[in-house]
Amino acid sequence: MRVDPPAPPAPPAPLVACHECDLLQHDAPLQAGETARCARCGAELARNPPDSLDRTLAYTLTAAILYVLANAFPLMGLEMQGHHAEVTLFAAVRNLWQIGMQPVAALVFVTAQLFPLLEMLMILLVLLPLRLGCRSPRVAAFFRLVLSVQPWGMMEVFLLGMLVSLVKLAHSGSVILGTAFWATAALILVLTLAGRAFDRRLLWRVAAEPV
């Protein structure tokens, strides 16, 4: 009588460490829309947003359009004693540079223009190949670069600082919020939604698969 060899044991479920309390827990599969939380502190461990890839791509492409609007149209206008003046984001950076505030101009350019653009471009470079069914062995390293760039995109800080300035300017004349102001506010919201819609575990699973 032929006896079949015993089946090899199933590989253990991968472990994930809680970013709040460092407790190691099994990374259980999640259904669409489900969220996994730490058994000790309740912090969010992972999410499985529905249609993660398509939604993230849609939000990122929308953010790219809003970024163009935010840089192409006036950010704000000021009417004072019959005179009207408007300024774009790039013109504001240029004016700061010309009046001798080069460090401030460089900071505004890097945090409000350069790094948000780099973040969107790199996200598209990561997600578009995945959407087309292509995989690269360098996708994990490239996504780590995306994560390192994200903290430097501080458009919300720039917008808050501009609102404080607008309150002070309101005593001198009539302040008009331009198209770029609303585009910047919408851009911040859409980038936040893109981050919430993306399932990072999908990317790490693809990166771990053999090419």
Side-chain angles (χ1 to χ4, degrees):
M1 183 177 65
R2 181 174 177 270
V3 178
D4 294 331
L15 297 176
V16 59
C18 175
H19 61 277
E20 295 290 341
C21 66
D22 295 329
L23 178 66
L24 286 177
Q25 298 157 85
H26 291 296
D27 188 12
L30 300 175
Q31 297 297 324
E34 289 185 341
T35 301
R37 295 192 175 275
C38 176
R40 176 190 291 168
C41 67
E44 183 178 291
L45 295 177
R47 291 180 297 106
N48 186 12
D51 301 324
S52 172
L53 192 56
D54 291 337
R55 290 173 61 197
T56 307
L57 274 173
Y59 282 134
T60 306
L61 290 173
T62 303
I65 297 173
L66 291 171
Y67 179 86
V68 173
L69 296 177
N71 285 273
F73 288 90
L75 192 62
M76 58 167 287
L78 181 65
E79 289 186 356
M80 183 170 52
Q81 297 179 353
H83 297 283
H84 179 77
E86 292 181 336
V87 63
T88 62
L89 181 57
F90 181 77
V93 173
R94 182 185 60 196
N95 293 338
L96 287 171
W97 186 275
Q98 291 176 347
I99 63 176
M101 302 181 66
Q102 286 85 359
V104 178
L107 184 63
V108 172
F109 173 74
V110 168
T111 58
Q113 289 188 293
L114 179 60
F115 278 106
L117 177 61
L118 290 178
E119 178 186 350
M120 288 182 289
L121 290 177
M122 288 190 291
I123 290 176
L124 290 175
L125 288 175
V126 168
L127 298 186
L128 280 176
L130 292 179
R131 187 65 185 85
L132 298 175
C134 305
R135 289 188 292 111
S136 170
R138 295 183 294 273
V139 65
F142 197 74
F143 188 63
R144 290 189 181 95
L145 182 61
V146 175
L147 296 179
S148 67
V149 167
Q150 280 182 335
W152 292 96
M154 303 180 186
M155 298 196 71
E156 62 276 7
V157 178
F158 168 76
L159 196 65
L160 181 61
M162 193 178 71
L163 286 174
V164 174
S165 301
L166 291 177
V167 172
K168 295 181 178 180
L169 287 173
H171 299 289
S172 302
S174 299
V175 177
I176 303 172
L177 300 179
T179 303
F181 176 88
W182 302 111
T184 303
L187 174 60
I188 295 171
L189 176 61
V190 170
L191 285 177
T192 302
L193 292 175
R196 294 287 298 175
F198 183 55
D199 181 10
R200 296 182 181 182
R201 301 192 309 168
L202 170 65
L203 184 66
W204 300 130
R205 285 196 300 267
V206 171
E209 295 175 355
V211 180

